[in-house]
Amino acid sequence: MALRTLSTFPSLPRRHITTRREPNLTVIYRNPTTSIVCKSIANSEPPVSLSERDGFAAAAPTPGERFLENQRAHEAQKVVKKEIKKEKKKKKEEIIARKVVDTSVSCCYGCGAPLQTSDVDSPGFVDLVTYELKKKHHQLRTMICGRCQLLSHGHMITAVGGNGGYPGGKQFVSADELREKLSHLRHEKALIVKLVDIVDFNGSFLARVRDLVGANPIILVITKIDLLPKGTDMNCIGDWVVEVTMRKKLNVLSVHLTSSKSLDGVSGVASEIQKEKKGRDVYILGAANVGKSAFINALLKTMAERDPVAAAAQKYKPIQSAVPGTTLGPIQINAFLGGEKLYDTPGVHLHHRQAAVVHSDDLPALAPQNRLRGQSFDISTLPTQSSSSPKGESLNGYTFFWGGLVRIDILKALPETCFTFYGPKALEIHAVPTKTATAFYEKELGVLLTPPSGKNQMQEWKGLQSHRLLQIEINDAKRPASDVAISGLGWISIEPIRKTRGTEPRDLNEAEHEIHICVSVPKPVEVFLRPTLPIGNSGTEWYQYRELTDKEEEVRPKWYF
C-alpha cells in the first residue's frame, strides 16, 4: 500500500496498522487529527511531517543549498580564525614591547643610566659576562656601571655639558634631554623636594621649577649650610631665605636648612615628607651638583633609625661626586614602609653657571670643601708702590681678578668701601690697577689666574666676554649695601663703610649714595644683585627682621633647622 493511499482512511480504529515497509522507513498512525511521522532509521535526520512531504510546508534545503551553506560557514570560520590570529599577534607584540621597557628599567643604581653591554664609552656599560650572571639571578638592580666606578674613585667624568663646556664624548647629556626625562612630573601626583645650594643660592634656585613640577606641592631644602662662616645665626639665614623665596612668588610648604655632612636639619625634612607625601611618590629635584645624592644618602641614614625599608635601601645608594650631572636617569629607591617610592632625579643643567664653561679637570676647584672664610679688600690692603697705581685714598681705578673666571673693575666707591669675597679657597684673588689689568690677565691667565689651567683648557677658553655694569644704591651706611652673586661660584659682599671697633660710620653726602662696578664673566654665566646674606657674627648685628602683616604671616612658609 502506498503512503498516499494509507493517508485516506480516517475511520480506522485506534490501533497500530502495520503496512508494507520500505527499507529504513516506519509509519505510525495514531489519530485522524495527528500527523503521520516518517523517520529514517539509517539517517539521524529530524522527523519530517507528512504535511511537509505533501508540499504544504517549507521545502527542505537541497544538497546544493547545503553545500553553499557549508562553504559560507567555512569561510566565516576562516575569517574568525584570522581575526583571532591577529589578536594573538598584537598581544604578543605588546608583551615584547613591555619586556623591552622592563629591560630599560634595569639601571645602574649609582647614576640611573640604563645598563648596556655594547658601548664601553657610554654610561651604563657593564661587562657582558657579569650582566648575564646578574640577570640569571635577578640581581640587575644591584649592578653599578663602569662610569660610576670611576667616579667613586675620584675620576672627573662629565656627563652634562654647556656652552663652551667639556663635551665628554659619548657621555654628553644635553640639558634638553635632562628636562625631557623630568617632563612627566607635571602630569603625576607627587611630592617635590627641591634642593638649593646656599653657597650658590641664586644660581641653583631653578626659577622656572613650576614648568617641571606643575601644581605638585614643594618642600624647599637649603643644602650645605655647614659651609657658612662660623658664628652665623640660622634664624637670620632662615628669615633671609623665606624673604627671597616670597619675592620669587614660589609657594612652598616649608623651608628646611640642612647639611648632608653633619645631618643637621635632615630629620625635619624626613618628618615633613612622611607628613605630606600622603601616598604619593617623592621626587628629589635640583640643579646639577646641588647635592641631591648626598642629601638622599643623609635622608636614608636618618630614616633608617625607624624605618627598616629605608635601612635596607642604604645598601645601594646613588653615587656622589663633584661632577655636574652625576645622576643621568631617575633612580628608584624603596625608602618608605608604606610602599611609596623615592626618586633621585638627574640634575637640571643650568647653562649660566661656571661649571658649564670650565674643563672637567677644573671642576673640583669650584666646589668648596670647608667653611667659607671671606677675603676682604679695602684701600689699606692694596699695593700703592707702583707708579701706575691710582692716586688717592679710594678703590677707584682698581681691578679684582677672581681666578681667571671673574674680573671686577671699581668705577666709583667710597674711601672706606670694602669688598669681601666668599667662595672656594682654590680661586685666588688678585688686585691690580685697572690700567694694567688687561695686560696682567693675558700674561697670568693659566699661571696665577686659574682656572682655566693647563694647555688644553687654555686652548678652549674663550675669555671674559660678558660685561655687566652695576649701580649699587647705599641706603644705610651701617649695613652692607648688597651682594654680587656669580652663578656657580660664590658672592661678593659690598660694605660701603667698613666698621671698625670703637668707631661709628660717618654720614654720607648726596654724591656718595651709589657704588659703580663693572663685572666681566664668561658667556653665558650670570651675575645677580641681591640683598646681603647675613653671615658670621656681624650678620647677626646688622640684620633686621621685617614686620609682617597678619595676611603675610598666614601665607608665609615656616622654616626649620
Side-chain angles (χ1 to χ4, degrees):
M1 183 184 295
L3 288 175
R4 190 169 184 81
T5 306
L6 181 63
S7 64
T8 58
F9 294 94
S11 59
L12 290 175
R14 296 182 179 179
R15 60 187 179 87
H16 296 282
I17 299 176
T18 305
T19 60
R20 183 172 58 88
R21 299 178 180 176
E22 295 183 1
N24 301 330
L25 184 65
T26 303
V27 181
I28 301 174
Y29 179 80
R30 292 183 180 274
N31 196 300
T33 59
T34 305
S35 301
I36 299 175
V37 180
C38 302
K39 182 178 180 181
S40 175
I41 298 175
N43 301 325
S44 58
E45 295 180 0
V48 181
S49 64
L50 192 59
S51 59
E52 291 178 355
R53 288 283 187 173
D54 291 338
F56 296 105
T62 63
E65 290 174 340
R66 286 176 183 156
F67 173 77
L68 183 61
E69 184 178 352
N70 290 337
Q71 289 297 315
R72 289 174 178 174
H74 182 67
E75 291 296 328
Q77 190 177 14
K78 286 173 61 177
V79 173
V80 171
K81 286 182 177 180
K82 191 174 182 180
E83 292 296 327
I84 293 175
K85 190 175 181 180
K86 284 184 178 179
E87 279 299 317
K88 288 182 178 180
K89 185 178 180 181
K90 186 177 180 181
K91 289 181 179 180
K92 188 176 181 180
E93 290 176 351
E94 290 178 355
I95 292 173
I96 294 174
R98 212 174 295 128
K99 287 182 178 179
V100 171
V101 173
D102 290 342
T103 56
S104 65
V105 175
S106 299
C107 300
C108 168
Y109 72 81
C111 65
L115 296 177
Q116 51 91 14
T117 60
S118 57
D119 196 344
V120 180
D121 295 328
S122 295
F125 175 80
V126 291
D127 179 71
L128 179 60
V129 176
T130 307
Y131 179 85
E132 292 295 338
L133 182 62
K134 292 288 186 179
K135 183 179 180 181
K136 180 179 179 181
H137 293 88
H138 306 285
Q139 295 177 343
L140 290 178
R141 292 184 180 273
T142 66
M143 294 194 69
I144 189 170
C145 70
R147 174 177 174 270
C148 286
Q149 291 178 358
L150 292 175
L151 288 173
S152 63
H153 288 82
H155 294 268
M156 306 302 291
I157 305 175
T158 58
V160 180
N163 298 346
Y166 175 62
K170 296 182 179 180
Q171 296 176 350
F172 179 88
V173 178
S174 68
D176 294 336
E177 289 175 344
L178 290 182
R179 286 186 174 272
E180 182 66 24
K181 291 181 179 181
L182 299 175
S183 61
H184 68 284
L185 286 180
R186 63 184 297 114
H187 306 295
E188 294 185 10
K189 290 185 177 180
L191 176 63
I192 307 300
V193 179
K194 177 186 175 183
L195 270 59
V196 179
D197 185 352
I198 190 62
V199 178
D200 186 26
F201 185 87
N202 297 81
S204 63
F205 194 84
L206 294 183
R208 299 176 59 188
V209 66
R210 282 295 178 192
D211 294 343
L212 291 175
V213 304
N216 287 313
I218 299 175
I219 297 175
L220 184 62
V221 175
I222 309 301
T223 62
K224 304 181 183 179
I225 61 168
D226 57 296
L227 297 179
L228 295 178
K230 289 183 178 181
T232 300
D233 189 349
M234 292 304 161
N235 292 306
C236 300
I237 298 297
D239 187 78
W240 184 90
V241 169
V242 173
E243 281 290 318
V244 175
T245 303
M246 294 295 289
R247 292 181 185 179
K248 293 179 179 291
K249 298 181 180 181
L250 179 65
N251 297 324
V252 298
L253 298 176
S254 58
V255 176
H256 298 261
L257 308 180
T258 67
S259 168
S260 301
K261 186 177 181 179
S262 63
L263 300 183
D264 291 336
V266 178
S267 59
V269 181
S271 300
E272 187 77 1
I273 290 175
Q274 293 289 357
K275 174 185 174 183
E276 299 292 343
K277 61 185 177 68
K278 299 176 181 177
R280 296 172 293 197
D281 291 335
V282 180
Y283 289 80
I284 309 298
L285 188 68
N289 209 32
V290 79
K292 295 186 303 300
S293 299
F295 171 76
I296 289 178
N297 293 341
L299 184 65
L300 292 176
K301 185 176 181 179
T302 302
M303 294 171 55
E305 298 176 359
R306 297 183 179 181
D307 194 336
V309 178
Q314 289 190 95
K315 189 175 181 180
Y316 304 105
K317 299 180 293 186
I319 289 292
Q320 299 174 225
S321 77
V323 176
T326 298
T327 303
L328 300 179
I331 301 176
Q332 176 182 305
I333 304 172
N334 300 323
F336 303 109
L337 196 59
E340 301 90 350
K341 309 299 181 186
L342 178 69
Y343 289 92
D344 183 10
T345 63
V348 179
H349 178 63
L350 303 177
H351 68 281
H352 57 73
R353 303 178 78 191
Q354 289 281 5
V357 299
V358 302
H359 195 275
S360 61
D361 293 339
D362 291 329
L363 288 176
L366 303 182
Q369 303 296 330
N370 302 310
R371 286 187 180 273
L372 299 178
R373 297 182 62 183
Q375 301 183 56
S376 299
F377 295 88
D378 57 19
I379 190 60
S380 64
T381 62
L382 300 184
T384 57
Q385 295 85 359
S386 175
S387 59
S388 61
S389 299
K391 298 180 180 180
E393 297 180 353
S394 174
L395 288 174
N396 296 343
Y398 275 96
T399 295
F400 293 103
F401 286 105
W402 201 355
L405 303 178
V406 183
R407 170 177 172 168
I408 302 173
D409 297 323
I410 312 300
L411 306 179
K412 179 184 177 182
L414 305 181
E416 305 93 339
T417 300
C418 179
F419 289 78
T420 305
F421 293 75
Y422 294 94
K425 294 180 180 179
L427 270 71
E428 295 183 359
I429 302 170
H430 298 270
V432 298
T434 304
K435 294 180 180 179
T436 62
T438 302
F440 177 81
Y441 184 79
E442 293 176 354
K443 178 183 178 181
E444 300 297 340
L445 183 64
V447 183
L448 290 178
L449 304 179
T450 58
S453 58
K455 293 183 179 180
N456 294 333
Q457 292 89 316
M458 293 291 295
Q459 291 176 356
E460 299 174 0
W461 188 247
K462 297 182 179 180
L464 308 178
Q465 300 174 324
S466 178
H467 312 281
R468 184 175 178 185
L469 180 63
L470 301 178
Q471 298 181 1
I472 303 169
E473 294 185 2
I474 304 173
N475 298 319
D476 187 354
K478 298 180 180 180
R479 304 173 67 249
S482 182
D483 279 350
V484 178
I486 311 298
S487 181
L489 184 61
W491 74 94
I492 305 131
S493 177
I494 302 177
E495 193 176 354
I497 299 179
R498 189 171 192 181
K499 184 178 179 181
T500 58
R501 291 183 180 181
T503 62
E504 288 293 329
R506 63 179 176 84
D507 295 331
L508 303 178
N509 56 47
E510 294 182 359
E512 295 180 326
H513 280 274
E514 280 189 351
I515 295 175
H516 297 176
I517 62 175
C518 181
V519 182
S520 302
V521 292
K523 284 185 178 181
V525 174
E526 290 190 6
V527 179
F528 302 93
L529 202 62
R530 71 184 190 190
T532 305
L533 185 66
I535 56 176
N537 295 321
S538 61
T540 307
E541 297 175 3
W542 59 257
Y543 186 74
Q544 295 178 345
Y545 294 91
R546 186 172 62 87
E547 294 293 334
L548 303 175
T549 64
D550 294 339
K551 185 177 181 180
E552 288 176 331
E553 191 72 42
E554 183 179 348
V555 299
R556 182 184 171 99
K558 305 296 181 183
W559 68 269
Y560 303 91
F561 173 63

